[in-house]
Amino acid sequence: MPSSALVTGSVTVDKDDRADVMHAMRSTPLLRDLSDAVMQRLALIGKIVTAPADVELYQQGGVADRLLLVLDGQLAAFSTSGNGTTAVVEVVQPGQTLGLATLLARLPRLMGLRTVTASRLLSIEAEGLLALVEQEPSLVTVLLRAEAREFHALVRQVCDLKLRTTAQRLGCYLLSLTTDRQANSVAMRLPFDKRLLAARLGCRQENLSRAFAALRGFGVETHGARVVLHDIAKLTAYAEPDEALA
């Protein structure tokens, strides 16, 4: 049975300071709207942990015994098949959650989790969280909203894989990184390396290179991790992002 414990040799539990945990919760979009009374109860079962890059936090199939919220850094959720093939399913950014459905239903984890960069995490013990869910309706609302966002992201991925070419999926992803939808040109940096980006888009690295090449005709210019979109309208017309899923 895969282990569910954090890798204690690499992961460090910060000093047990309730004030630090409360501050972390108030800075987290998932929890910041909860009342002080609920936050104080969560702080009793929460702790802040730090981990260096490329550390496995938990394994696929393990018991979902904690909710991890990313405060700083990036995590990669991965799935491993019976023959040992591993694929990155999602890259988890600060403020995002992963695997809430399995935690709430007390099911084994569907994916493993590794740090991509050095990361700082808020860890909330699952049994205590589930006990609070039965007593605090406001917490139920918060968790259901977060679970809905996870499902929304999953549906978006499935739609992209079934309806779009690799180049179109890349175009949609680049458009999702733009903050000013009124501008017709924008410069940005990719939030993670192209190896992870290829895995996130469901393609090989060589296919990702071809996709970037295909997008040059739609105004996409690349310089390593720096990307310039010279014609957002033209790229949008080609990639056809689903505004309902944007």
Side-chain angles (χ1 to χ4, degrees), residues 170-171 173-175 177-178 185-192 194 197 212 215 219-230 235:
L170 175 59
Y173 178 76
L174 295 175
L175 289 169
L177 298 179
T178 63
S185 64
V186 66
M188 65 183 72
R189 292 190 67 82
L190 296 175
F192 36 81
K194 291 182 178 178
L197 177 57
F212 270 114
L215 293 184
V220 177
E221 179 185 350
T222 59
H223 302 278
R226 185 172 181 270
V227 178
V228 182
L229 308 184
H230 289 288
L235 179 61

Side-chain angles (χ1 to χ4, degrees), residues 132-222:
L132 274 180
V133 162
E134 297 179 0
Q135 303 166 19
E136 299 289 351
S138 62
L139 183 57
V140 176
T141 301
V142 162
L143 295 179
L144 286 178
R145 189 179 297 123
E147 187 177 355
R149 281 195 291 265
E150 287 188 21
F151 180 72
H152 182 278
L154 177 61
V155 170
R156 185 175 185 176
Q157 280 198 51
V158 172
C159 289
D160 277 350
L161 287 169
K162 289 183 174 289
L163 300 175
R164 296 179 176 87
T165 66
T166 300
Q168 286 178 308
R169 295 201 300 274
L170 175 59
C172 287
Y173 178 76
L174 295 175
L175 289 169
S176 75
L177 298 179
T178 63
T179 55
D180 185 359
R181 291 301 180 94
Q182 302 305 313
N184 200 40
S185 64
V186 66
M188 65 183 72
R189 292 190 67 82
L190 296 175
F192 36 81
D193 64 41
K194 291 182 178 178
R195 174 185 60 84
L196 263 183
L197 177 57
R200 169 65 179 76
L201 295 176
C203 67
R204 297 180 182 276
Q205 280 189 267
E206 56 267 30
N207 293 335
L208 180 66
S209 297
R210 295 190 192 101
F212 270 114
L215 293 184
R216 287 176 195 152
F218 299 94
V220 177
E221 179 185 350
T222 59

Side-chain angles (χ1 to χ4, degrees), residues 20-60:
D20 288 345
V21 174
M22 288 283 288
H23 177 75
M25 288 192 294
R26 288 195 177 97
S27 67
T28 303
L30 174 65
L31 304 174
R32 64 188 175 197
D33 292 331
L34 290 171
S35 67
D36 285 346
V38 176
M39 281 196 181
Q40 287 168 5
R41 298 186 70 181
L42 282 173
L44 295 175
I45 55 173
K47 57 188 176 184
I48 296 173
V49 297
T50 55
D54 199 29
V55 166
E56 186 172 290
L57 298 176
Y58 56 70
Q59 296 177 335
Q60 178 179 327

Side-chain angles (χ1 to χ4, degrees), residues 76-98:
F78 61 91
S79 180
T80 305
S81 67
N83 64 9
T85 302
T86 298
V88 174
V89 178
E90 184 61 276
V91 178
V92 189
Q93 307 276 17
Q96 294 179 327
T97 61
L98 180 75

